[in-house]
Amino acid sequence: MFELSLWRALTVFRWLAVGYAALLYVRDFQHYLHPVTGWLVLAVMVLWTALSSALILTRRGADLPLLLADLAVTFGCTLAVHWIDDPARLQSGALLPSIWVLGPALAWGIARGALAGSLAAVVI
């Protein structure tokens, strides 16, 4: 029962985080080197948030394939910023995914414990 509450909280966090990333991107997209690609990355983030949230809530948790997919999608979105943004902005910490990238680390932590969550954070 308690674990289900954590999954629900994670789902709320993911939606708030992708919303925050979207607001930042809407505000700053004209400063990106490749804004159209940035919109595509943002679309992937929103779609993945919807899909992963639905799967987690209907399954009442995340299994290993979903956790790995979550890590892969987030890693890909994070890596994509190197193609869409100016290196100077990247050095300042202005990343399109923003705090959304914490989702997999939190998911791994809920599903597999603190060590797994920490390792997922290192991957990202």
Side-chain angles (χ1 to χ4, degrees):
M1 181 74 166
F2 178 70
E3 188 176 320
L4 181 57
S5 296
L6 292 175
W7 289 116
R8 287 181 180 151
L10 175 60
T11 299
V12 170
F13 167 79
R14 286 178 187 260
W15 280 108
L16 291 173
V18 79
Y20 178 69
L23 285 173
L24 291 179
Y25 192 69
V26 166
R27 183 190 73 188
D28 295 334
F29 77 92
Q30 68 275 9
H31 300 294
Y32 283 76
L33 292 177
H34 304 285
V36 173
T37 307
W39 286 112
L40 293 173
V41 170
L42 185 58
V44 167
M45 291 168 55
V46 170
L47 291 172
W48 180 250
T49 298
L51 179 62
S52 63
S53 296
L55 290 173
I56 284 171
L57 292 178
T58 57
R59 295 179 183 176
R60 296 179 176 254
D63 56 6
L64 185 58
L66 181 55
L67 290 168
L68 291 170
D70 193 19
L71 200 56
V73 169
T74 304
F75 184 78
C77 289
T78 304
L79 189 60
V81 300
H82 295 283
W83 289 290
I84 63 174
D85 208 353
D86 179 13
R89 282 178 40 85
L90 292 175
Q91 289 179 358
S92 73
L95 298 177
L96 170 59
S98 183
I99 60 172
W100 182 79
V101 300
L102 297 174
L106 295 171
W108 279 85
I110 294 168
R112 306 288 174 151
L115 179 60
S118 299
L119 291 173
V122 168
V123 169
I124 297 301

